[in-house]
Amino acid sequence: MIGLASPSLTRGICAPARSLAALTRRRLGSARNARDRGALQIVSEGTGRFIVGGNWKCNGDRASVTALIEALNGGDVGDNVDVVVAPPFLYVDQALSELKSPMQVAAQNAWVEYTLEDETHHYDSDSGAFTGEVSAEMLEDMGVPWVILGHSERRTLLGEDDTMVGKKVAHARFHGLSVIVCVGESLEQREAGATMDVIFKQLRAVADEIDDREHSSWGSQVVIAYEPIWAIGTGKVATPEQVQAVHAGIRQWLKDNVSEEVSKATRIQYGGSVNEGNCETLARESDIDGFLVGGASLDATKFAQICKSSAVHYKAVGRA
């Protein structure tokens, strides 16, 4: 079942986001009424291809990864959708070698030297004395096209702050990697009405680090994944209206602080207990441009079904 409409979560959207939510509801309500009458009204703010990411996290062994790759290769993810999967580092090379198109591969992290100051925003280290880390240069050398950065598990468990995430994004972009950068609030922050303040601060840390020349590539090469911490792996899913309100706020922030072109082109994923049962309802929202999937991405059949919700999205926003 979709939704977690408890009063505490509903009131967690701060005043500016409530205004965005109200505007969104009015626009989407009109569009849905039009569809009910047999017409179709375009309401989408975004213009990019639907994108679904599968974050395998710290799961799998050689046998299960091989089986998952074989199942993904034999499945049908639909048309007109970008699909990116992120295996654990030990299995990235296998995924690169064995996964078939249209599947692309992402790393789950890339290192940056936190204390390094660099006016060019490249953040290349002179030293390799960082035991256990993997650099963007290494991913570039291996031909890994994508990387996930700023995931809440790294923020909360490993202490990565907004500054580090911003530097990581800039460093990864300098080395040609496309980035899925994660943002999101805790339950306490949502209940305090600070959702959008938290997310805007996280976005500012990224925008300040990306070279001005890179802003034009946000749409295709910097994807924003909204992942409310309270919904990750908990089985709780934000209501479609809650997600749409946050996504609309992100898009408006990009328009006001980067450019209107970037705002329209940037793809905004939702991640938070997305599964084959709720993906189509979520995909109908105009500013949900895809999903970042955790547990369900370990099941090829379920993951393929989530990918095929792209067709629902395109139809809902008049781009079918």
Side-chain angles (χ1 to χ4, degrees), residues 23-249:
L23 175 61
T24 299
R25 284 194 295 271
R26 288 196 296 272
R27 289 167 52 230
L28 292 180
S30 298
R32 285 167 180 155
N33 289 338
R35 289 200 297 274
D36 290 342
R37 295 192 298 270
L40 188 63
Q41 180 173 337
I42 298 176
V43 297
S44 178
E45 295 288 348
T47 58
R49 275 167 60 96
F50 203 79
I51 179 168
V52 178
N55 182 9
W56 298 358
K57 303 189 179 184
C58 192
N59 291 295
D61 54 27
R62 284 183 293 180
S64 64
V65 167
T66 298
L68 180 54
I69 290 174
E70 290 176 352
L72 288 171
N73 285 338
D76 176 16
V77 297
D79 300 319
N80 201 18
V81 57
D82 289 335
V83 183
V84 181
V85 297
F89 275 125
L90 285 175
Y91 307 111
V92 165
D93 188 54
Q94 180 182 358
L96 283 171
S97 300
E98 298 178 7
L99 273 173
K100 297 178 181 178
S101 178
M103 303 284 177
Q104 300 181 70
V105 177
Q108 297 180 16
N109 182 46
W111 169 252
V112 75
E113 187 174 355
Y114 181 78
T115 57
L116 192 64
E117 298 297 330
D118 185 354
E119 293 182 356
T120 68
H121 304 282
H122 296 164
Y123 298 108
D124 279 339
S125 300
D126 294 328
S127 170
F130 307 109
T131 300
E133 296 295 343
V134 174
S135 70
E137 294 95 322
M138 293 174 180
L139 298 177
E140 178 187 27
D141 182 57
M142 286 187 64
V144 180
W146 286 86
V147 62
I148 298 172
L149 297 173
H151 193 280
S152 65
E153 289 164 5
R154 296 198 63 86
R155 292 179 187 260
T156 57
L157 298 178
L158 298 172
E160 294 188 4
D161 61 14
D162 296 340
T163 299
M164 172 173 275
V165 173
K167 288 183 176 182
K168 283 188 171 188
V169 173
H171 185 50
R173 286 297 307 124
F174 177 63
H175 286 281
L177 301 177
S178 296
V179 177
I180 297 174
V181 57
C182 302
V183 299
E185 83 285 8
S186 66
L187 180 58
E188 293 75 19
Q189 290 165 335
R190 173 167 278 272
E191 291 181 333
T195 293
M196 301 313 299
D197 291 336
V198 170
I199 291 172
F200 292 164
K201 182 173 178 286
Q202 293 168 337
L203 292 173
R204 171 57 64 190
V206 173
D208 284 350
E209 288 291 352
I210 293 183
D211 188 290
D212 288 342
R213 293 169 297 177
E214 289 286 349
H215 282 153
S216 62
S217 68
W218 274 53
S220 60
Q221 294 173 312
V222 179
V223 173
I224 297 170
Y226 168 54
E227 293 199 306
I229 298 171
W230 48 268
I232 298 175
T234 64
K236 299 176 180 179
V237 184
T239 66
E241 292 78 12
Q242 287 173 330
V243 179
Q244 169 61 27
V246 173
H247 283 215

